[in-house]
Amino acid sequence: MSNHENARTVVRVNQGDAFVPMNGVSVKVVAFDARDSHHDRPVRMAISDDGFIGSRFRPGDTIGLELCVAANMNVLVVNVDSQKNVTPAENLSREHRQSVYRLKMVVKPGSRRSTYVKYPENNIRMLQFNGDGSFQLWEVAVVAQNGNYFITSQVTWEGQCYYEDGRVTCPIFDEWSQMCSVLEDFVSKFPGMKAALPRHRISSPKTDPNTEGLPTGFGRVQWYNIAMGLGAIQTHDGVVRVHFSAIKSNRRFATLTSGQVVHVTGTKPVTSNRSTNFVSEATEVIPQ
Protein backbone atom coordinates (compact mmCIF):
# COMPACT_ATOMS: atom_id res chain seq x y z
CA MET A 1 0.00 0.00 0.00
CA SER A 2 1.32 3.42 -0.92
CA ASN A 3 1.96 5.75 1.95
CA HIS A 4 -0.16 8.37 0.18
CA GLU A 5 -3.34 6.42 -0.46
CA ASN A 6 -4.92 7.44 2.84
CA ALA A 7 -3.67 11.03 2.69
CA ARG A 8 -6.19 13.67 3.66
CA THR A 9 -5.84 17.37 4.19
CA VAL A 10 -6.94 18.79 7.52
CA VAL A 11 -8.27 22.18 8.52
CA ARG A 12 -5.54 24.36 9.97
CA VAL A 13 -6.14 26.79 12.83
CA ASN A 14 -3.87 29.74 13.49
CA GLN A 15 -3.78 31.40 16.89
CA GLY A 16 -1.63 34.53 16.72
CA ASP A 17 1.83 33.37 15.74
CA ALA A 18 1.09 29.70 16.50
CA PHE A 19 -0.14 27.07 14.06
CA VAL A 20 -2.47 24.45 15.57
CA PRO A 21 -2.79 21.28 13.45
CA MET A 22 -4.73 19.47 16.20
CA ASN A 23 -5.95 20.10 19.74
CA GLY A 24 -3.04 19.91 22.18
CA VAL A 25 -0.36 20.58 19.55
CA SER A 26 0.96 23.97 18.47
CA VAL A 27 3.75 24.93 16.08
CA LYS A 28 5.74 28.14 15.89
CA VAL A 29 7.96 29.18 12.99
CA VAL A 30 11.22 31.13 13.20
CA ALA A 31 13.73 32.20 10.56
CA PHE A 32 17.48 32.78 10.70
CA ASP A 33 19.03 35.19 8.18
CA ALA A 34 21.95 33.67 6.24
CA ARG A 35 23.75 37.03 6.54
CA ASP A 36 23.80 36.64 10.33
CA SER A 37 27.07 34.74 10.75
CA HIS A 38 26.14 33.53 14.22
CA HIS A 39 22.53 32.57 13.42
CA ASP A 40 21.65 33.76 16.91
CA ARG A 41 18.88 36.23 16.13
CA PRO A 42 15.83 34.21 15.08
CA VAL A 43 12.79 36.11 13.82
CA ARG A 44 9.36 34.80 14.85
CA MET A 45 7.17 34.48 11.74
CA ALA A 46 3.55 35.59 11.70
CA ILE A 47 1.20 33.01 10.19
CA SER A 48 -1.67 33.99 7.89
CA ASP A 49 -4.98 32.14 7.69
CA ASP A 50 -3.77 30.13 4.68
CA GLY A 51 -0.49 29.23 6.43
CA PHE A 52 1.61 31.86 4.63
CA ILE A 53 4.76 32.76 6.59
CA GLY A 54 6.79 34.89 4.16
CA SER A 55 8.42 35.25 0.77
CA ARG A 56 11.80 36.90 1.27
CA PHE A 57 13.88 33.84 1.99
CA ARG A 58 17.34 33.61 0.45
CA PRO A 59 19.51 30.56 -0.22
CA GLY A 60 21.27 29.65 3.01
CA ASP A 61 18.57 31.06 5.27
CA THR A 62 17.36 28.67 7.95
CA ILE A 63 13.73 28.08 8.87
CA GLY A 64 12.94 26.47 12.20
CA LEU A 65 9.83 24.73 13.53
CA GLU A 66 9.09 24.45 17.24
CA LEU A 67 6.48 21.81 17.99
CA CYS A 68 4.82 21.82 21.43
CA VAL A 69 2.78 18.79 22.48
CA ALA A 70 0.63 18.77 25.63
CA ALA A 71 1.51 16.09 28.18
CA ASN A 72 -1.90 14.42 27.95
CA MET A 73 -1.56 13.69 24.23
CA ASN A 74 -0.75 10.19 22.98
CA VAL A 75 1.59 11.63 20.35
CA LEU A 76 4.96 10.31 19.20
CA VAL A 77 7.09 12.74 17.19
CA VAL A 78 9.54 11.20 14.72
CA ASN A 79 12.00 12.20 12.02
CA VAL A 80 12.11 10.33 8.71
CA ASP A 81 15.00 10.77 6.28
CA SER A 82 15.17 10.22 2.52
CA GLN A 83 15.96 6.53 3.05
CA LYS A 84 12.85 6.16 5.24
CA ASN A 85 14.94 5.66 8.37
CA VAL A 86 12.79 6.50 11.39
CA THR A 87 14.13 8.00 14.61
CA PRO A 88 12.13 9.36 17.57
CA ALA A 89 12.62 13.13 17.84
CA GLU A 90 14.37 14.49 20.95
CA ASN A 91 12.15 16.13 23.56
CA LEU A 92 13.88 19.39 24.49
CA SER A 93 11.45 20.42 27.22
CA ARG A 94 12.32 20.38 30.91
CA GLU A 95 8.67 20.74 31.87
CA HIS A 96 6.23 17.91 32.54
CA ARG A 97 3.23 19.77 31.14
CA GLN A 98 4.45 19.61 27.54
CA SER A 99 7.05 18.19 25.17
CA VAL A 100 8.99 20.43 22.79
CA TYR A 101 10.61 19.39 19.51
CA ARG A 102 12.58 21.46 17.02
CA LEU A 103 13.41 21.05 13.36
CA LYS A 104 15.66 23.24 11.21
CA MET A 105 15.80 23.32 7.42
CA VAL A 106 18.03 25.25 5.05
CA VAL A 107 16.60 27.24 2.13
CA LYS A 108 18.12 26.07 -1.17
CA PRO A 109 18.43 27.78 -4.56
CA GLY A 110 16.00 26.59 -7.20
CA SER A 111 15.41 27.32 -10.87
CA ARG A 112 14.63 30.80 -12.21
CA ARG A 113 15.98 32.52 -9.09
CA SER A 114 13.44 30.74 -6.89
CA THR A 115 14.15 29.01 -3.56
CA TYR A 116 12.77 25.96 -1.83
CA VAL A 117 13.17 23.61 1.14
CA LYS A 118 13.90 19.99 0.30
CA TYR A 119 11.62 17.04 1.12
CA PRO A 120 11.75 15.25 3.56
CA GLU A 121 13.97 17.73 5.42
CA ASN A 122 11.08 20.21 5.34
CA ASN A 123 8.77 18.27 7.67
CA ILE A 124 8.41 16.65 11.05
CA ARG A 125 5.98 13.78 11.63
CA MET A 126 3.62 12.96 14.46
CA LEU A 127 1.94 9.67 15.26
CA GLN A 128 -1.31 10.40 17.08
CA PHE A 129 -2.70 7.34 18.86
CA ASN A 130 -6.22 6.61 20.03
CA GLY A 131 -7.05 4.37 22.98
CA ASP A 132 -7.82 1.36 20.79
CA GLY A 133 -4.49 1.46 18.96
CA SER A 134 -5.77 3.20 15.85
CA PHE A 135 -3.59 6.10 14.74
CA GLN A 136 -2.93 8.89 12.26
CA LEU A 137 0.48 9.86 10.91
CA TRP A 138 0.74 13.62 10.39
CA GLU A 139 3.25 15.62 8.41
CA VAL A 140 3.79 19.22 9.55
CA ALA A 141 5.84 20.91 6.86
CA VAL A 142 7.18 24.15 5.44
CA VAL A 143 6.37 24.30 1.72
CA ALA A 144 7.53 26.78 -0.93
CA GLN A 145 5.34 27.65 -3.92
CA ASN A 146 6.34 30.32 -6.41
CA GLY A 147 8.51 32.13 -3.88
CA ASN A 148 5.88 32.04 -1.13
CA TYR A 149 6.41 29.91 1.96
CA PHE A 150 3.64 28.18 3.93
CA ILE A 151 3.30 25.98 6.97
CA THR A 152 1.03 23.00 6.33
CA SER A 153 -0.31 19.87 7.97
CA GLN A 154 -1.70 16.68 6.50
CA VAL A 155 -2.64 13.17 7.62
CA THR A 156 -0.70 10.87 5.29
CA TRP A 157 -1.44 7.52 6.96
CA GLU A 158 -4.36 6.17 8.99
CA GLY A 159 -4.10 2.69 10.42
CA GLN A 160 -4.70 0.21 13.22
CA CYS A 161 -2.29 -1.65 15.47
CA TYR A 162 -3.00 -5.27 16.49
CA TYR A 163 -1.63 -7.71 19.06
CA GLU A 164 -0.68 -10.89 17.24
CA ASP A 165 1.55 -13.78 18.29
CA GLY A 166 2.76 -11.93 21.37
CA ARG A 167 3.74 -8.67 19.64
CA VAL A 168 2.30 -5.42 18.36
CA THR A 169 1.84 -5.36 14.58
CA CYS A 170 0.62 -2.80 12.05
CA PRO A 171 -0.46 -4.16 8.65
CA ILE A 172 -0.12 -0.94 6.65
CA PHE A 173 3.55 -0.75 7.66
CA ASP A 174 4.38 -4.41 6.98
CA GLU A 175 6.90 -3.25 4.36
CA TRP A 176 8.31 -0.48 6.56
CA SER A 177 9.99 -2.40 9.36
CA GLN A 178 11.48 0.64 11.11
CA MET A 179 8.11 2.32 11.48
CA CYS A 180 6.64 -0.96 12.76
CA SER A 181 9.35 -1.12 15.43
CA VAL A 182 8.75 2.49 16.50
CA LEU A 183 5.01 1.83 16.78
CA GLU A 184 5.55 -1.35 18.78
CA ASP A 185 7.94 0.37 21.21
CA PHE A 186 5.54 3.26 21.79
CA VAL A 187 2.35 1.21 22.23
CA SER A 188 4.14 -1.17 24.61
CA LYS A 189 4.68 1.74 27.02
CA PHE A 190 0.92 1.98 27.56
CA PRO A 191 -0.45 -1.28 29.03
CA GLY A 192 -4.05 -0.11 28.70
CA MET A 193 -3.70 0.65 25.01
CA LYS A 194 -1.82 -2.58 24.39
CA ALA A 195 -4.53 -4.60 26.16
CA ALA A 196 -7.20 -2.94 24.01
CA LEU A 197 -5.57 -3.88 20.70
CA PRO A 198 -7.61 -6.22 18.47
CA ARG A 199 -6.24 -9.77 18.33
CA HIS A 200 -7.24 -10.36 14.72
CA ARG A 201 -6.75 -8.21 11.64
CA ILE A 202 -9.87 -6.63 10.24
CA SER A 203 -9.82 -6.26 6.47
CA SER A 204 -11.63 -3.33 4.93
CA PRO A 205 -12.48 -3.03 1.24
CA LYS A 206 -10.08 -0.83 -0.70
CA THR A 207 -11.77 1.93 -2.67
CA ASP A 208 -9.52 3.65 -5.18
CA PRO A 209 -10.66 6.84 -6.91
CA ASN A 210 -11.88 6.06 -10.42
CA THR A 211 -13.13 7.91 -13.48
CA GLU A 212 -16.61 6.37 -13.53
CA GLY A 213 -19.16 8.96 -14.65
CA LEU A 214 -16.52 11.53 -15.59
CA PRO A 215 -16.25 12.99 -19.11
CA THR A 216 -13.10 12.68 -21.20
CA GLY A 217 -10.32 14.92 -19.93
CA PHE A 218 -11.39 14.69 -16.30
CA GLY A 219 -9.99 12.55 -13.50
CA ARG A 220 -9.96 11.93 -9.75
CA VAL A 221 -7.07 12.60 -7.43
CA GLN A 222 -5.65 9.32 -6.07
CA TRP A 223 -3.39 11.06 -3.58
CA TYR A 224 -1.59 14.34 -3.09
CA ASN A 225 1.24 14.90 -0.63
CA ILE A 226 1.46 18.55 0.39
CA ALA A 227 5.00 18.40 1.80
CA MET A 228 6.29 16.81 -1.43
CA GLY A 229 4.19 18.98 -3.74
CA LEU A 230 3.37 15.87 -5.76
CA GLY A 231 0.38 13.63 -6.34
CA ALA A 232 -1.33 11.18 -8.69
CA ILE A 233 -4.51 11.50 -10.72
CA GLN A 234 -6.54 8.62 -12.16
CA THR A 235 -7.59 9.55 -15.69
CA HIS A 236 -9.32 7.63 -18.46
CA ASP A 237 -5.87 7.04 -19.99
CA GLY A 238 -4.21 5.84 -16.79
CA VAL A 239 -2.53 7.36 -13.76
CA VAL A 240 -0.60 10.60 -14.26
CA ARG A 241 1.70 12.46 -11.90
CA VAL A 242 0.88 16.01 -10.88
CA HIS A 243 3.23 18.70 -9.53
CA PHE A 244 1.89 21.69 -7.61
CA SER A 245 3.07 24.00 -10.41
CA ALA A 246 0.50 22.42 -12.76
CA ILE A 247 -2.44 23.20 -10.44
CA LYS A 248 -4.41 26.23 -11.61
CA SER A 249 -5.95 27.84 -8.56
CA ASN A 250 -7.17 31.29 -7.54
CA ARG A 251 -5.78 30.69 -4.08
CA ARG A 252 -2.29 31.69 -3.00
CA PHE A 253 -1.56 28.09 -1.95
CA ALA A 254 -2.32 25.40 -4.53
CA THR A 255 -3.23 21.90 -3.34
CA LEU A 256 -5.43 18.90 -4.10
CA THR A 257 -7.30 16.37 -1.98
CA SER A 258 -7.85 12.65 -2.43
CA GLY A 259 -10.99 11.90 -4.43
CA GLN A 260 -11.25 15.43 -5.83
CA VAL A 261 -12.47 15.77 -9.43
CA VAL A 262 -10.07 17.69 -11.66
CA HIS A 263 -9.87 18.70 -15.31
CA VAL A 264 -6.57 17.54 -16.82
CA THR A 265 -6.10 19.71 -19.90
CA GLY A 266 -2.82 18.19 -20.99
CA THR A 267 -0.08 15.67 -20.19
CA LYS A 268 3.54 15.07 -21.19
CA PRO A 269 5.98 12.16 -20.83
CA VAL A 270 7.82 12.04 -17.51
CA THR A 271 11.49 12.88 -17.90
CA SER A 272 13.43 12.40 -14.68
CA ASN A 273 16.81 11.19 -13.54
CA ARG A 274 15.13 9.55 -10.58
CA SER A 275 13.44 6.17 -10.66
CA THR A 276 9.68 6.50 -10.97
CA ASN A 277 6.70 4.35 -11.95
CA PHE A 278 4.98 7.31 -13.61
CA VAL A 279 4.95 7.48 -17.40
CA SER A 280 2.96 10.71 -17.85
CA GLU A 281 2.71 14.00 -15.99
CA ALA A 282 -0.10 16.55 -16.04
CA THR A 283 0.80 19.92 -17.56
CA GLU A 284 -2.32 21.70 -16.32
CA VAL A 285 -4.88 20.64 -13.71
CA ILE A 286 -8.00 22.64 -12.92
CA PRO A 287 -9.73 21.67 -9.66
CA GLN A 288 -13.51 21.37 -9.96
Side-chain angles (χ1 to χ4, degrees):
M1 177 179 291
S2 166
N3 63 312
H4 307 292
E5 288 178 354
N6 288 326
R8 61 183 174 89
T9 309
V10 297
V11 176
R12 301 184 292 271
V13 180
N14 300 325
Q15 297 178 352
D17 61 353
F19 173 83
V20 184
M22 69 174 82
N23 290 333
V25 176
S26 65
V27 186
K28 293 185 178 181
V29 185
V30 297
F32 300 84
D33 194 323
R35 295 168 297 180
D36 175 7
S37 59
H38 298 290
H39 275 208
D40 58 359
R41 291 191 293 271
V43 177
R44 181 66 54 82
M45 308 301 295
I47 303 172
S48 300
D49 290 343
D50 61 355
F52 175 75
I53 59 173
S55 59
R56 297 183 178 180
F57 295 102
R58 301 175 177 85
D61 286 351
T62 299
I63 301 174
L65 297 182
E66 182 176 275
L67 186 73
C68 299
V69 181
N72 62 345
M73 297 289 293
N74 286 331
V75 170
L76 174 64
V77 180
V78 298
N79 294 312
V80 180
D81 66 17
S82 59
Q83 302 302 314
K84 299 187 75 172
N85 295 310
V86 185
T87 54
E90 180 184 1
N91 176 15
L92 301 174
S93 176
R94 297 182 179 179
E95 303 177 7
H96 295 295
R97 63 185 181 88
Q98 67 176 6
S99 300
V100 176
Y101 307 90
R102 295 192 179 103
L103 174 71
K104 287 185 177 181
M105 63 202 76
V106 178
V107 175
K108 300 182 180 297
S111 59
R112 299 179 182 178
R113 302 177 67 180
S114 65
T115 61
Y116 72 103
V117 282
K118 187 178 180 180
Y119 182 89
E121 299 165 11
N122 66 338
N123 74 87
I124 192 166
R125 308 191 196 194
M126 302 182 296
L127 284 155
Q128 180 189 19
F129 291 88
N130 303 311
D132 62 352
S134 60
F135 66 89
Q136 297 81 38
L137 177 60
W138 296 65
E139 287 185 0
V140 177
V142 172
V143 177
Q145 290 190 357
N146 305 314
N148 294 324
Y149 281 70
F150 302 83
I151 182 168
T152 69
S153 64
Q154 183 182 29
V155 175
T156 55
W157 288 92
E158 294 182 278
Q160 173 70 52
C161 292
Y162 297 89
Y163 191 74
E164 303 174 299
D165 299 325
R167 60 186 296 265
V168 177
T169 62
C170 182
I172 67 169
F173 291 144
D174 278 346
E175 297 181 5
W176 193 358
S177 59
Q178 284 202 25
M179 186 61 79
C180 281
S181 297
V182 168
L183 281 166
E184 183 174 11
D185 290 345
F186 184 80
V187 172
S188 296
K189 295 177 182 178
F190 300 91
M193 184 188 303
K194 186 175 180 180
L197 296 181
R199 265 45 181 177
H200 303 285
R201 299 190 179 193
I202 303 172
S203 60
S204 55
K206 182 180 176 181
T207 56
D208 286 332
N210 57 59
T211 57
E212 184 177 351
L214 296 180
T216 301
F218 286 75
R220 292 187 193 276
V221 178
Q222 279 193 340
W223 58 266
Y224 184 81
N225 185 283
I226 295 174
M228 292 178 64
L230 288 174
I233 299 171
Q234 178 68 56
T235 72
H236 289 284
D237 298 320
V239 178
V240 300
R241 185 173 71 182
V242 57
H243 185 258
F244 80 83
S245 59
I247 304 171
K248 302 305 176 184
S249 172
N250 294 326
R251 298 181 178 180
R252 182 163 52 175
F253 183 74
T255 188
L256 300 171
T257 58
S258 178
Q260 183 177 9
V261 175
V262 295
H263 185 196
V264 181
T265 63
T267 62
K268 64 180 181 180
V270 170
T271 55
S272 175
N273 295 327
R274 298 180 180 180
S275 176
T276 177
N277 293 324
F278 290 103
V279 176
S280 299
E281 181 171 22
T283 55
E284 183 178 80
V285 172
I286 304 173
Q288 302 298 294

